[in-house]
Amino acid sequence: MKVSYNWLKKYIQTDLSPEELGKILTDTGLEVESIEKIEAIEGGLQGVVIGHVLTCEKHPDADKLNVTTVHIGTEELQIVCGAPNVAAGQKVVVATVGTTLYPNPGEAFHIKKAKIRGVESFGMLCAEDELGIGHSHAGIIVLPEDTEIGIPASAYFDLSDDFQIEIGLTPNRADAMGHIGVARDIKAALNFHQKSKLSIQWPAVKELTATGNLNIDIQIENQEDCLRYCGVSMENVQVAPSPEWLQKALRSVGLNPINNLVDISNYVMRELGTPLHIFDAKALKGNVVVRSAHAGEKLVTLDKVERTFNGSELLITNGEQALCIAGVLGGDSSGVSNETTSIFIESALFDAVNIRKTARLHGLNTDASFRFERGVDPALTIYALQRCVQLIQEIAGGQVGMEMIDWIGNMPSNKKITIHLSRVNQLIGCEIDKESIFTILDNLDIQVLQENGDEINIEIPSYRVDVTREADVIEEILRIYGFNLVPIPEKWNLSLPISPKINKDQLQRSISELLVGKGFSEVMNNSLTKSTYASQLGMGQLQDDHSVRMLNPLSQDLDVMRQSLLFGILENIERNQNRQSPNLRLFEFGKTYAKYASGYAESSQLIVCMTGQTHSDNWLTPEKGKETLVSYYQMKAVVLGLLERLGFGGQLQEKELKNALFSDGQSIELHKKTITECGWATSEQLNAFGIKNPVYYAVIQWDQLMDLLNRVKIEYSELPKSFAIRRDFSLLVDKHVKFTDLRQTAIQADKKLLKSVGLFDVYEGKNLDSGKKSYALSFTLQDGDRTLTDQEIDQCMSKIQSQLEKECGTTLRN
């Protein structure tokens, strides 16, 4: 939230600099994220001074130019001027050589030494529009005769700069959503730490007296969501641009001026934190009815969007048609226009939960909903209305058309809480004397009702809707006392927990480091995602009705919890590809969520992904057009290496993949449980994200792996004393037979001597029967204690060949 330094100083008298105020606000819990200087006029009129025209003569070679001599306090300058009103004896505004002016925002105009029609000129005499302080170009600015020569123009025109202070407002600090709320914290901190006696300077308001005749009947039908409703009408107002001071104030907090009526309502909201809404009285037709929406009812809002209601929203109507989404956004047909002369001003208190649900349902986040969602001060409802009416009368004229209506429903009362002094010191961790605690409470407008030894009964002000329990009050005391004043103890007492056999966090870090060492980058995506991913790209594997939906989604793009880690990774690839980084190695540890008839399911997973070229461009890579893309087997090798690192190397079984989220691939089982699915993304998924290269990925069921780790036993063996022997087979197999099937069959044939099986050549083509392919396999045999004889090797290979022919239908090629 943005606040103005100059605006703040209207409510609290202090000479502290913006930086000093920023430190105080941060220390009290309103963290200042930035302080930005706002110049009253761009460039600040640096180099522009007040001068005295000593002489004024006609230019020898130009009828419309004059040659002047101007005294600027330190020297006399010769300046050629074309203004028709320049004359000797005048006090004028002089832009000296080297000055930069900004006649229009962002358009710089540099003053240089020049020769005009043969006469040298050392500056410029300025008109209003050239300085950016007005629009007139009829002539130069002529100042009163008693104006002091040589003073800066910025000082003469009283162009005080402002500072925009941006606060990272936390959701609980609803009280600081206006300048006066921020000023309260400054007052409390300065009064406690510097023993100041500051108080908030509230703008004076008057009771409203009806002098016109514009009665509006108010009916509150939904008394559950409307807690208080105040309103008053005004006649004969004149819509026009706001005065300069009001426009300047709004710009200082990042708002664009619209017209005087709208600007006044925005000004009061930024001043007090209380949203107001102004209706064109013609649209009301004499009635204001606050009711729930009808299912299917429609309204075109101020943003020109037609919105359809589901019946849960709270609306402001004229009894016939909807005019405004209460507390969120006004209607296009009932707002203030240039033709408006009669208005109705609303100052209300709506249920925070209803406003939050409505805003999220329609994807809106307005200044009004931002405040109502967090809770506005019910005590300021009438004051804000009176303040708004008074400003309108000062700026836009008009008179009050009716007696003010103040309907009060189930309005919350001030909370009463009991705190204990011993508990204050216990939670804070240091001793704060009783007098200091009472001083802080008083400066926070927290009233002490009764004191009974260690026990204190207090009443919380209405604007602190977030303070509901003893711990909240203690936090308030601490933030004013100062977090930095709590001493750090010299001695720490720690209880060291017994580490479990498997430290899951440490294991996850080890795997992350392993993947990073292989060139992968870790990503962390939002657990909230689009529901359309499951319904449109889930390929039947993910069901939309299994999605865990948000009751109050932040947006339509974050309306469900993710069922798969895949789509977050695809978003990452799309973003990087669009920024000229298509070669990616990514991984993410995360959770997925689903809802079934039996209940909710949550599981931890690891997704590993590769796409793009095998190597980044360098002098060794192939020429353009011949680059090598990563393959499925590279992805699979990374996954197998990871599982081997966890101790599962010799126990894995590869199976056919039956998951429609993958275009193809393999699943890996351990103890008859699928722990990994490895393959590549479907063309539909790639097209949806505009991804050009194949994407290979593996999903590892992390929870299952952690459970299976308890079965892993570390085994040690001697280094073999003999050499390994390799034998090769060239086999003719059916096309549907996979290498994994051949390897498993061979291992089952001889588990003692056969150490590994490899595939080093695949051939499909001419000279082979239809439906056949040729595999060249390598077999590594070894006995750890002695060298194998030829007879033993032949017996082993014969056994393997026989088993392959029987189980897989292979034929040995000649």
Side-chain angles (χ1 to χ4, degrees):
M1 191 191 75
K2 298 178 175 125
V3 297
S4 159
Y5 172 69
N6 290 342
W7 198 343
L8 267 179
K9 290 171 67 176
K10 291 182 180 180
Y11 313 115
I12 186 165
Q13 300 299 316
T14 177
D15 295 326
L16 294 177
S17 68
E19 290 74 18
E20 292 170 322
L21 283 184
K23 185 178 185 305
I24 290 173
L25 290 173
T26 298
D27 288 345
T28 58
L30 296 177
E31 184 180 358
V32 172
E33 296 178 342
S34 65
I35 299 176
E36 182 180 343
K37 184 177 181 179
I38 302 175
E39 295 176 326
I41 290 179
E42 192 171 1
L45 297 186
Q46 293 293 319
V48 183
V49 297
I50 306 303
H52 182 207
V53 181
L54 301 177
T55 64
C56 180
E57 306 290 341
K58 284 291 183 183
H59 192 291
D61 293 324
D63 294 338
K64 294 184 179 181
L65 297 179
N66 294 289
V67 180
T68 65
T69 304
V70 183
H71 183 45
I72 60 169
T74 56
E75 60 180 322
E76 294 182 6
L77 302 176
Q78 177 177 281
I79 299 175
V80 177
C81 178
N85 64 330
V86 64
Q90 293 174 336
K91 298 293 178 66
V92 294
V93 181
V94 182
T96 58
V97 173
T99 298
T100 301
L101 300 178
Y102 296 86
N104 297 306
E107 296 181 8
F109 177 65
H110 304 287
I111 305 300
K112 302 176 182 178
K113 175 184 174 182
K115 184 173 286 190
I116 304 175
R117 293 287 184 94
V119 177
E120 288 187 321
S121 180
F122 300 89
M124 184 175 78
L125 307 186
C126 301
E128 284 183 6
D129 63 335
E130 292 165 335
L131 294 176
I133 62 174
H135 303 286
S136 174
H137 194 70
I140 62 172
I141 300 172
V142 179
L143 304 175
E145 293 183 2
D146 59 351
T147 304
E148 183 180 350
I149 300 172
I151 63 172
S154 58
Y156 176 82
F157 290 110
D158 192 23
L159 299 178
S160 57
D161 294 332
D162 198 359
F163 293 86
Q164 185 185 87
I165 303 173
E166 184 155 6
I167 297 173
L169 195 64
T170 52
N172 64 306
R173 291 303 305 275
D175 62 297
M177 292 187 294
H179 281 74
I180 282 183
V182 177
R184 286 193 190 108
D185 269 14
I186 297 173
K187 177 207 75 171
L190 292 179
N191 284 354
F192 177 72
H193 290 286
Q194 299 184 10
K195 309 303 179 186
S196 306
K197 295 183 179 180
L198 299 173
S199 60
I200 301 298
Q201 307 298 309
W202 289 85
V205 296
K206 299 177 182 178
E207 294 291 329
L208 302 183
T209 304
T211 57
N213 184 25
L214 180 59
N215 290 318
I216 304 292
D217 181 54
I218 297 177
Q219 300 177 42
I220 312 298
E221 292 185 2
N222 184 341
Q223 298 185 9
E224 181 180 349
D225 295 325
C226 182
L227 310 181
R228 186 174 190 177
Y229 196 91
C230 304
V232 70
S233 64
M234 293 187 71
E235 296 179 291
N236 301 319
V237 297
Q238 184 176 358
V239 178
S242 297
E244 184 62 31
W245 70 266
L246 180 53
Q247 293 191 36
K248 183 178 178 181
L250 294 179
R251 288 194 185 99
S252 70
V253 293
L255 295 180
N256 292 321
I258 298 173
N259 61 53
N260 49 7
L261 297 184
V262 176
D263 292 350
I264 288 169
S265 67
N266 285 332
Y267 180 85
V268 174
M269 177 175 64
R270 293 295 180 136
E271 179 179 57
L272 305 176
T274 302
L276 302 170
H277 191 73
I278 301 179
F279 296 89
D280 189 322
K282 288 182 181 179
L284 298 178
K285 300 179 181 179
N287 297 293
V288 168
V289 179
V290 183
R291 62 167 173 82
S292 296
H294 304 311
E297 191 172 4
K298 299 179 185 295
L299 172 67
V300 178
T301 46
L302 285 171
D303 55 1
K304 309 297 182 183
V305 175
E306 184 180 70
R307 304 185 184 276
T308 303
F309 305 122
N310 68 4
S312 65
E313 302 90 344
L314 185 67
L315 301 182
I316 311 298
T317 75
N318 59 11
E320 300 174 2
Q321 64 186 104
L323 302 176
C324 171
I325 307 176
V328 180
L329 188 61
D332 187 50
S333 62
S334 61
V336 172
S337 67
N338 292 332
E339 290 72 38
T340 299
T341 57
S342 299
I343 59 173
F344 177 78
I345 310 170
E346 167 194 281
S347 179
L349 179 64
F350 301 118
D351 178 63
V353 174
N354 179 274
I355 299 302
R356 182 167 58 251
K357 287 183 177 180
T358 299
R360 297 297 173 270
L361 177 65
H362 294 281
L364 294 169
N365 183 21
T366 63
D367 279 343
S369 67
F370 178 81
R371 286 161 174 78
F372 279 123
E373 287 174 20
R374 288 156 175 79
V376 299
D377 184 1
L380 285 181
T381 310
I382 290 181
Y383 179 85
L385 189 62
Q386 294 171 330
R387 174 73 167 148
C388 182
V389 170
Q390 187 168 308
L391 287 172
I392 289 175
Q393 289 180 320
E394 293 174 3
I395 294 172
Q399 57 266 3
V400 177
M402 60 182 281
E403 293 297 329
M404 181 185 69
I405 300 294
D406 182 17
W407 179 88
I408 299 177
N410 187 24
M411 196 172 74
S413 57
N414 290 0
K415 293 177 285 294
K416 295 180 175 60
I417 300 174
T418 299
I419 66 170
H420 301 81
L421 294 176
S422 58
R423 182 63 173 159
V424 172
N425 294 324
Q426 180 186 7
L427 278 186
I428 291 177
C430 69
E431 190 78 22
I432 302 178
D433 62 87
K434 180 178 175 182
E435 183 182 354
S436 295
I437 292 175
F438 275 60
T439 300
I440 292 173
L441 293 175
D442 180 59
N443 281 295
L444 289 172
D445 299 329
I446 297 176
Q447 183 181 356
V448 176
L449 301 177
Q450 185 179 11
E451 179 187 354
N452 185 14
D454 185 59
E455 187 176 280
I456 303 173
N457 297 323
I458 58 176
E459 181 176 342
I460 307 301
S462 59
Y463 60 82
R464 289 312 303 267
V465 296
D466 60 312
V467 179
T468 59
R469 53 187 180 152
E470 182 181 29
D472 296 332
V473 178
I474 296 173
E475 181 184 358
E476 290 299 295
I477 294 171
L478 174 58
R479 70 182 186 84
I480 300 301
Y481 177 78
F483 292 95
N484 295 330
L485 295 182
V486 177
I488 299 175
E490 296 180 359
K491 179 182 178 182
W492 292 87
N493 296 320
L494 299 176
S495 297
L496 298 177
I498 299 174
S499 298
K501 181 179 179 182
I502 299 173
N503 189 323
K504 295 182 179 181
D505 293 333
Q506 184 176 350
L507 191 60
Q508 181 173 321
R509 283 195 299 271
S510 297
I511 295 301
S512 297
E513 291 169 358
L514 173 68
L515 289 170
V516 169
K518 291 180 176 293
F520 284 76
S521 298
E522 184 173 10
V523 298
M524 288 182 284
N525 290 306
N526 200 331
S527 296
L528 300 178
T529 186
K530 296 181 183 179
S531 57
T532 53
Y533 284 159
S535 60
Q536 297 177 13
L537 300 176
M539 316 309 294
Q541 187 73 26
L542 305 179
Q543 301 295 326
D544 189 42
D545 56 358
H546 290 167
S547 295
V548 180
R549 295 188 173 276
M550 298 293 101
L551 295 177
N552 300 305
L554 295 172
S555 73
Q556 297 303 312
D557 290 342
L558 300 171
D559 59 339
V560 297
M561 303 189 79
R562 61 188 177 190
Q563 289 191 57
S564 170
L565 301 181
L566 171 63
F567 303 113
I569 289 286
L570 294 179
E571 287 179 348
N572 302 143
I573 295 173
E574 176 190 28
R575 180 177 178 83
N576 282 275
Q577 175 188 272
N578 294 339
R579 287 160 178 77
Q580 309 303 314
S581 298
N583 305 322
L584 298 169
R585 311 287 186 275
L586 305 175
F587 74 95
E588 178 182 11
F589 285 95
K591 291 188 175 184
T592 59
Y593 310 86
K595 179 181 67 175
Y596 303 102
S598 58
Y600 292 94
E602 175 181 329
S603 65
S604 296
Q605 297 179 349
L606 165 62
I607 187 169
V608 185
C609 162
M610 298 176 72
T611 184
Q613 297 179 25
T614 304
H615 303 287
S616 335
D617 290 337
N618 59 62
W619 65 278
L620 285 174
T621 55
E623 62 185 78
K624 193 71 175 175
K626 296 183 179 180
E627 301 91 344
T628 304
L629 296 178
V630 295
S631 70
Y632 164 73
Y633 298 101
Q634 289 174 289
M635 177 76 256
K636 181 180 172 183
V638 170
V639 173
L640 292 176
L642 186 152
L643 294 174
E644 187 173 345
R645 167 64 179 80
L646 292 172
F648 300 123
Q651 311 167 49
L652 304 174
Q653 290 186 328
E654 297 178 14
K655 299 288 185 179
E656 182 181 354
L657 181 62
K658 298 178 181 179
N659 187 332
L661 273 179
F662 296 81
S663 179
D664 200 357
Q666 292 174 308
S667 63
I668 299 175
E669 291 186 0
L670 180 63
H671 300 304
K672 297 184 179 180
K673 290 184 178 180
T674 300
I675 58 169
T676 302
E677 293 173 312
C678 186
W680 52 96
T682 66
S683 58
E684 291 86 351
Q685 293 163 348
L686 299 182
N687 291 337
F689 289 90
I691 299 173
K692 301 171 184 177
N693 294 322
V695 174
Y696 302 99
Y697 71 100
V699 177
I700 300 172
Q701 302 300 327
W702 193 251
D703 284 336
Q704 291 188 25
L705 276 187
M706 295 302 101
D707 293 339
L708 292 170
L709 274 175
N710 292 316
R711 303 189 187 184
V712 174
K713 295 181 179 179
I714 300 176
E715 296 181 355
Y716 300 90
S717 61
E718 280 187 84
L719 290 173
K721 299 174 181 177
S722 61
F723 294 103
I725 304 297
R726 169 174 163 165
R727 291 291 186 267
D728 298 339
F729 277 165
S730 178
L731 301 173
L732 193 64
V733 300
D734 293 333
K735 281 194 174 181
H736 70 272
V737 176
K738 297 181 179 179
F739 166 68
T740 53
D741 300 328
L742 301 175
R743 184 178 61 182
Q744 291 295 333
T745 301
I747 291 174
Q748 292 297 324
D750 193 322
K751 295 181 180 180
K752 181 180 178 182
L753 299 181
L754 182 60
K755 301 304 179 183
S756 67
V757 181
L759 174 66
F760 63 90
D761 187 43
V762 178
Y763 174 74
E764 294 181 63
K766 62 182 181 179
N767 300 326
L768 292 182
D769 294 338
S770 176
K772 296 290 186 178
K773 59 184 176 182
S774 174
Y775 273 180
L777 304 183
S778 64
F779 302 88
T780 303
L781 308 176
Q782 188 176 34
D783 186 306
D785 296 323
R786 59 187 180 82
T787 303
L788 295 173
T789 65
D790 290 340
Q791 183 179 2
E792 289 173 320
I793 295 170
D794 291 340
Q795 287 178 352
C796 179
M797 295 304 297
S798 178
K799 190 188 303 183
I800 293 172
Q801 178 184 348
S802 176
Q803 195 73 12
L804 289 173
E805 290 174 353
K806 179 180 177 182
E807 299 292 336
C808 302
T810 64
T811 303
L812 192 64
R813 294 186 69 191
N814 295 325

